[in-house]
Structures are given as structure tokens and as C-alpha cells.
């Protein structure tokens, strides 16, 4: 189905009425929806020259500045808009987004709460507040907000963000419904490209689209695989980087192993045409519904075969995605019915990693804020995964292992203080919680060597974080759940050959962790087994992964 181009219609409206500020505001909206922040910003300035201080123009100016990465400017514009229109929930939400990206975590929470208070029946606003409160470990009204969002998804009343929805205790069927609603919303605003001309058989031009091609989890996971794939003559590798060159060694290695196209700050149509012009046969979407993705580009169908892989651990629900690349553990047959894509399974864990990394000498325990003695339990998952159930499980283990500490990744705002308060409410000394601020990857891996046992979360597992822990020699204990996002750490253990670290109940999780924490010999034996399997097993064999991956690409291309 072809759609009228809203940008062209809006441009014609400004030509007919060049002194109408609202016409320019509508044009700004259309340009921003098309991913063209530069043109959107220009339209906003024209509107503001006609109507100085107009809150709708200021709000869209802030959104354009936010898209362009000018965070302070975005916050200033949106604060001005919110002060002029204090009862506008949409402006409050955009202000929340800008404050969030600007590192003003608690102020962002207040903005989302303000938006929800202005329109409490709007599930999209509830979803924004819910997701940000999870990040802040602020569990007020969590159950009520989650119930509102899940009910709206079940009824088909809200196209909420599927990535945030993965943190809810929702079934795979609910996740599919959520993704389909979001995909349908995108499709209403996108014009697909005409079908590509047929290509002469030859090398398979294989594309990868992401905003993580650099010192980012996606780059860290894929770089060694791309280096191995570079030796496969039948694949011609093309990366389409939505992020600017960060100057990192990872970016340099990616550039050396592939043809890297810098498509940062281009609008959706320009990115889609860059992919089409490169003649891509099979295109992997490495963001999906994750942050910084561009589903609008995929919806334009720039490649004849499009694949969901790696960064978004769930179904796309999108008719423009043909396949999902997974493995038999993370996506068993029982889950396949709840995926819109055709499932293609690798014979090994679907998640690659950089096996060229060297572990640096760690700083001392004291430098890490750790006590000189005692078991170090850790969970370096992002704060939004630390829900009340998972934290209660962690604290139960901490209580059961005398002298132990729980090492966590420091969260935004007052998240750390809230977790300390949760521990104190359970009768645990808050000083038993140790927080590590985010580190450069090599330094983070070095510190991981002090951790004795990684304790996972649910329903959103450790993914890259679990792989990092295993590479650093720290065993991972997990309880695989019933969704893709809840089975990734389990897949890593399974394909590593350490199935005993996958348990099936919370009670078994707590008991197994306490057993290992209190028995130094048993813990040492698990760590010794991990060291052998890390060296000799299939999980960290990137040459073998490349062979399997190339075979999967050939099958999808056919």
C-alpha cells in the first residue's frame, strides 16, 4: 500500500501559507517523523520567528535538538515549552526523554510522572513512567503501572515500546502482541521502496544495520565474528553505522574487516537508499526495537531478505522482517508460535563474542571498594532488570553466605540508595552492597576477575553481561524463563556445557548460590570447570561460529 508523503503535503501547505506558524509546526513534525532533524529544526525556527515562544514549536525544536545530540539545548527548549504549557502531557514526556539523555535522572522521572498525572488513563504515558522507574529502582506503583500497560497491550489499545515491555512479567504471546502493535503504528507512516531489480548470482552481499558499531555491546559482540567472516569469500560484508566513528579500536577493527558505511544523522529514506544502492541481499537488523534503532528504515524494505538478530531478544512482530536468528535453547519450538518471523537456528549459541580480548591485571580489591576477604557475589545487569523479585532473590543469597558482599553496577539517579534501602528493609547491612560505576570495557573485565559468582535476574537475563562474566572466569547462575529474553544466559551456559548452572525455580537458585558461596571447594571446582570449557568449548569458537553463520546466510539468501 502506498502512502501520501506527509512531508511533501506539509511543504506545500507552507508554500500556500508561508506566514502560518502552525503550518511550519506541522512541517517540523513531518520532518522529524521522517528522521530529518536538520530540516525539522529549520521548520521550528521559522515557526518561532512567526510566533515567538509558541510551546508547540519550542517542543519540536527541543525534539530536533535531542535527535541531533545537542542535549543541553534540547532540555532548555523543552523546559521553556513545558513552562508555557504546563498541562500538556506530550511536552512533559519529551522533556522526560531529554532529561533522561542529559543525565538528569530524577528530574526525568518527575517529568514522566507529571505526564502520567495529566493523563492517567493513557497507557503510553504509564509505560514511559514504568520503564524509567524500573531504571531508578523506584518501585512505587510498579504493579499498578505494569497492569495498566499489559492490559492495554492485550486489548490492542497502545503501541508501547516493545523493548521496555521485555522487563514486564509478560508471556511470549503478549510480547508478540506488543511488537505487532508497534509495527503497525510504524507501517502507517512509511512508504516502502519499489522492489529491487534481480541480481546476478554471486557473492551474497550481507548487510548489518546498527547504532552500536564502536565501543558498544554490539560492536564488542560482533567484531571477532566479522573478522572471521572476512575469510569467507561467498559473503560480502557491509556495515551501516547509525553512530558516528567514536575513534575506538573496535570501530577500527570493524572498518578493517568489512565495508563500513557511515549513515549517521541521515534521514530514514537516505539510510534505506544507501542499503538499496549497496545491493544488499540479506540485511541483519542488529537493533530491532532496542534504543537507537530505525524500524522505519526496515519497513521501507531496502533488502529482499531481512533478519532480526542479536540486540533485541524477542520477536519483531513486523511483516518486513522475514527471519529471526536464534538457537534451539533460547528459542525452542514452544516459543516459535509466538514469533512472527521464520526461525533460523544456529547449532551453537546465537550470541558471538570478542575472543581476542586479553584480561588485564585487576586493581586491588580495596581499589574496587571490596573487602579484603569474603565471597564476592555480583550482578552487573542494568538497573531496570533489578525488579523486586530478582532483588529479593539476590538478598536471600547474600543473607545466606556470611561475610559476602553483593557487587552491583551503579544505576542512574538515586537507584543505588534505593537498593541499599531495600537491603536494610530486609535486615541486611546496606554496606554489604558495593556499587561499581561504569568502566571502559577492558577495565570492567579486569575487575570482573574479583567476582566469585554472577547471580542473574528475571524476566530479563544478563546477555552481553553474562558473556563477559564467563570470559572473565566468573560462573553465571541463572533460572531460564519462558521468553527469549529470559533464556539468553541459560543458552550461554547450555552451549558452554555447564547446564548445572541453569536451575528451574527461585528456591533452587537461592539454594545453589548459597551452597557455592559457603563451600569454597565446590565453588573452586565450578570455576575450574569454566576455565577448561571456556578454552576448549564451542561457545567461544568464533571460526566455528563464522562457518555456521555463513551457512545460515546462504540458506536465507536462497
Amino acid at each position: 500500500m502506498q502512502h501520501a508523503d506527509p512531508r511533501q503535503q506539509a511543504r506545500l501547505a507552507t508554500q500556500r501559507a508561508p506566514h502560518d506558524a502552525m503550518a511550519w509546526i506541522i512541517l517540523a513534525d513531518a520532518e522529524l517523523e521522517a528522521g530529518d532533524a536538520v530540516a525539522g529544526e529549520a521548520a521550528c525556527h521559522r515557526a518561532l520567528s512567526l510566533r515567538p515562544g509558541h510551546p508547540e514549536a519550542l517542543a519540536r525544536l527541543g525534539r530536533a535538538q535531542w535527535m541531533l545530540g545537542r542535549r543541553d539545548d534540547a532540555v532548555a527548549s523543552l523546559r521553556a515549552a513545558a513552562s508555557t504549557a504546563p498541562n500538556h502531557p506530550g511536552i512533559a514526556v519529551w522533556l522526560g526523554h531529554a532529561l533522561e539523555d542529559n543525565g538528569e535522572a530524577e528530574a526525568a522521572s518527575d517529568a514522566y510522572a507529571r505526564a502520567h498525572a495529566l493523563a492517567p488513563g493513557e497507557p503510553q504515558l504509564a509505560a514511559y513512567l514504568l520503564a524509567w522507574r524500573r531504571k531508578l529502582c523506584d518501585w512505587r506503583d510498579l504493579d499498578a503501572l505494569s497492569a495498566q500497560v499489559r492490559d492495554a497491550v492485550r486489548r490492542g489499545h497502545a503501541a508501547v515500546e516493545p523493548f521496555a515491555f521485555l522487563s514486564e512479567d509478560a508471556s511470549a504471546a503478549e510480547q508478540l502482541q506488543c511488537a505487532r502493535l508497534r509495527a503497525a503504528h510504524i507501517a502507517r507512516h512509511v512508504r516502502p521502496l519499489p522492489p529491487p531489480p534481480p541480481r546476478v548470482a554471486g557473492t551474497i552481499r550481507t548487510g548489518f544495520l546498527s547504532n552500536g558499531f564502536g565501543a558498544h555491546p554490539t560492536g564488542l559482540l560482533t567484531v571477532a565474528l566479522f573478522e572471521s567472516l572476512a575469510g569467507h569469500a561467498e559473503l560480502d560484508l557491509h556495515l551501516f553505522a547509525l553512530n558516528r566513528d567514536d575513534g575506538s579500536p573496535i570501530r577500527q577493527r570493524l572498518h578493517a574487516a568489512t565495508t563500513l558505511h557511515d549513515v549517521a544523522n541521515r534521514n530514514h529514506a537516505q539510510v534505506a537508499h544507501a542499503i538499496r544502492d549497496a545491493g544488499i541481499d540479506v540485511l541483519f537488523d542488529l537493533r530491532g526495537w532496542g534504543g537507537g534503532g530505525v524500524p522505519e528504515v526496515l519497513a521501507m524494505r531496502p533488502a529482499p531478505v531481512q533478519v532480526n538478530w542479536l540486540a533485541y531478544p524477542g520477536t519483531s512482530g513486523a511483516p518486513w522482517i522475514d527471519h529471526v536468528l536464534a538457537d534451539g535453547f533460547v528459542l525452542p519450538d514452544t516459543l516459535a508460535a509466538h514469533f512472527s518471523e521464520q526461525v533460523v537456528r544456529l547449532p551453537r549459541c546465537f550470541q558471538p563474542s570478542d575472543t581476542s580480548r586479553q584480561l588485564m591485571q585487576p586493581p586491588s580489591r580495596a581499589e574496587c571498594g571490596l573487602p579484603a576477604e569474603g565471597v564476592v557475589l555480583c550482578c552487573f545487569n542494568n538497573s531496570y532488570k533489578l525488579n523486586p523479585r530478582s532483588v529479593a532473590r539476590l538478598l536471600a543469597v547474600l543473607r545466606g553466605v556470611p561475610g559476602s558482599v553483593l557487587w552491583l553496577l551503579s544505576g542512574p539517579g538515586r537507584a543505588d540508595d534505593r537498593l541499599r534501602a531495600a537491603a536494610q528493609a530486609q535486615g541486611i547491612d546496606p554496606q554489604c552492597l558495593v556499587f561499581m560505576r561504569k568502566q571502559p570495557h577492558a577495565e570492567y573485565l579486569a575487575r570482573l576477575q574479583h567476582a566469585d559468582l554472577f547471580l542473574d535476574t528475571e524476566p530479563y537475563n544478563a546477555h552481553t553481561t553474562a558473556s563477559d562474566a564467563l570470559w572473565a572466569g566468573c560462573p553465571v547462575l541463572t533460572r531460564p524463563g519462558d521468553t527469549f529474553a529470559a533464556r539468553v544466559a541459560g543458552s550461554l551456559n547450555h552451549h558452554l556445557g555447564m547446564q548445572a548452572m541453569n536451575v528451574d525455580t527461585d528456591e533452587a537458585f537461592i539454594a545453589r548460590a548459597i551452597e557455592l558461596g559457603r563451600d569454597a571447594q565446590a565453588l573452586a571446582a565450578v570455576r575450574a570447570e569454566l576455565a577448561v570449557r571456556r578454552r576448549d568449548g564451542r561457545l567461544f569458537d568464533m571460526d566455528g561460529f563464522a562457518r555456521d553463520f555463513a551457512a545460515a546466510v546462504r540458506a536465507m539468501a536462497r
Side-chain angles (χ1 to χ4, degrees):
M1 178 181 176
Q2 294 295 310
H3 303 266
D5 185 348
R7 287 186 298 165
Q8 189 59 32
Q9 292 179 328
R11 287 167 184 164
L12 289 172
T14 60
Q15 291 172 15
R16 288 192 297 267
H19 301 296
D20 182 353
M22 282 308 302
W24 289 100
I25 290 170
I26 292 168
L27 175 58
D29 245 353
E31 298 288 10
L32 295 175
E33 285 299 319
D36 195 333
V38 173
E41 182 181 28
C44 291
H45 283 305
R46 184 63 184 271
L48 288 166
S49 71
L50 296 167
R51 293 279 301 276
H54 194 295
E56 298 283 4
L58 281 169
R60 283 153 184 80
L61 176 61
R63 186 179 167 204
Q65 293 163 334
W66 173 55
M67 290 169 65
L68 291 167
R70 287 164 28 211
R71 297 175 177 179
D72 290 338
D73 291 342
V75 168
S77 296
L78 284 159
R79 276 191 164 133
S83 66
T84 306
N87 296 321
H88 193 308
I91 291 175
V93 161
W94 286 350
L95 175 59
H97 293 337
L99 290 166
E100 180 181 329
D101 281 355
N102 206 40
E104 299 181 53
E106 299 295 334
S109 182
D110 292 342
Y112 292 137
R114 172 69 176 163
H116 185 249
L118 289 168
E122 175 49 59
Q124 182 67 68
L125 302 183
Y128 286 130
L129 178 59
L130 171 64
W132 194 242
R133 281 193 173 168
R134 286 196 183 280
K135 290 181 183 179
L136 294 177
C137 299
D138 181 352
W139 300 329
R140 290 176 297 162
D141 305 320
L142 212 60
D143 291 342
L145 289 167
S146 183
Q148 181 183 359
V149 172
R150 289 179 65 185
D151 181 66
V153 168
R154 280 193 296 266
R155 293 172 180 269
H157 291 173
V160 304
E161 292 296 337
F163 182 79
F165 196 70
L166 295 179
S167 294
E168 304 311 310
D169 283 310
S171 67
E174 288 175 88
Q175 291 179 358
L176 173 59
Q177 169 76 345
C178 179
R180 279 181 168 157
L181 290 168
R182 188 64 184 160
H185 175 79
I186 296 291
R188 285 195 291 270
H189 303 283
V190 172
R191 300 178 67 191
L193 299 177
R199 282 194 64 234
V200 178
T203 59
I204 302 170
R205 294 181 184 172
T206 312
F208 303 84
L209 178 65
S210 178
N211 69 335
F213 290 133
H216 177 280
T218 297
L220 291 162
L221 287 175
T222 58
V223 64
L225 172 61
F226 288 137
E227 289 169 341
S228 292
L229 285 171
H232 289 251
E234 74 270 36
L235 300 188
D236 181 11
L237 306 178
H238 292 257
L239 307 190
F240 296 88
L242 296 163
N243 57 307
R244 290 287 188 198
D245 187 345
D246 60 2
S248 66
I250 294 291
R251 179 72 168 220
Q252 294 167 13
R253 289 170 61 192
L254 291 167
H255 198 286
T258 69
T259 300
L260 194 151
H261 306 260
D262 185 341
V263 293
N265 292 336
R266 296 192 194 179
N267 65 41
H268 302 321
Q270 289 170 336
V271 176
H273 280 291
I275 295 167
R276 174 63 62 82
D277 292 345
I280 299 302
D281 300 303
V282 180
L283 177 65
F284 286 84
D285 180 10
L286 300 189
R287 289 310 297 159
W289 296 117
V294 282
E296 296 87 354
V297 170
L298 279 296
M300 292 179 187
R301 268 288 180 183
V305 178
Q306 300 188 158
V307 189
N308 168 18
W309 178 50
L310 197 59
Y312 180 73
T315 182
S316 68
W320 55 80
I321 299 293
D322 307 293
H323 304 283
V324 59
L325 188 62
D327 64 66
F329 186 96
V330 81
L331 208 172
D333 289 339
T334 52
L335 276 184
H338 304 300
F339 275 67
S340 61
E341 307 91 341
Q342 181 178 347
V343 179
V344 176
R345 294 184 176 93
L346 296 173
R348 61 184 70 235
C349 181
F350 79 103
Q351 185 188 88
S353 62
D354 182 7
T355 50
S356 70
R357 294 173 291 177
Q358 299 297 314
L359 294 173
M360 301 191 321
Q361 185 69 23
S364 69
R365 285 174 65 124
E367 289 175 285
C368 296
L370 299 169
E373 297 180 351
V375 172
V376 178
L377 308 165
C378 78
C379 180
F380 292 130
N381 287 352
N382 281 312
S383 56
Y384 59 83
K385 300 181 183 182
L386 297 174
N387 55 41
R389 172 188 166 197
S390 292
V391 169
R393 203 163 66 179
L394 298 177
L395 294 177
V397 176
L398 185 61
R399 186 185 299 107
V401 181
S404 65
V405 294
L406 178 60
W407 203 7
L408 303 167
L409 189 66
S410 187
R414 297 197 298 274
D416 299 357
D417 293 336
R418 293 186 178 99
L419 290 171
R420 288 190 183 99
Q424 191 162 29
Q426 294 290 319
I428 295 172
D429 183 353
Q431 298 306 309
C432 291
L433 271 59
V434 179
F435 292 91
M436 177 175 67
R437 62 177 177 80
K438 289 191 176 182
Q439 303 283 332
H441 188 71
E443 295 176 29
Y444 163 66
L445 277 182
R447 284 164 168 75
L448 252 172
Q449 295 171 87
H450 285 310
D452 294 303
L453 179 64
F454 188 108
L455 303 177
D456 200 12
T457 54
E458 197 183 345
Y460 203 143
N461 279 180
H463 293 182
T464 307
T465 315
S467 179
D468 289 341
L470 293 171
W471 185 251
C474 179
V476 174
L477 180 65
T478 188
R479 178 187 181 273
D482 298 323
T483 63
F484 191 121
R487 300 181 63 81
V488 174
S491 175
L492 290 164
N493 278 341
H494 174 80
H495 288 94
L496 190 62
M498 298 192 68
Q499 292 91 335
M501 298 303 287
N502 292 346
V503 297
D504 57 5
T505 66
D506 284 356
E507 292 76 17
F509 182 100
I510 294 167
R512 177 71 167 146
I514 291 175
E515 173 194 359
L516 291 172
R518 299 181 74 156
D519 186 338
Q521 288 186 331
L523 182 58
V526 170
R527 292 176 65 88
E529 180 186 3
L530 170 57
V532 172
R533 293 185 181 277
R534 171 188 176 277
R535 184 189 67 223
D536 300 335
R538 298 174 65 204
L539 182 64
F540 295 111
D541 172 15
M542 287 305 103
D543 289 336
F545 195 115
R547 290 191 296 272
D548 294 339
F549 188 89
V553 172
R554 288 195 299 270
M556 288 185 280
R558 286 196 298 268

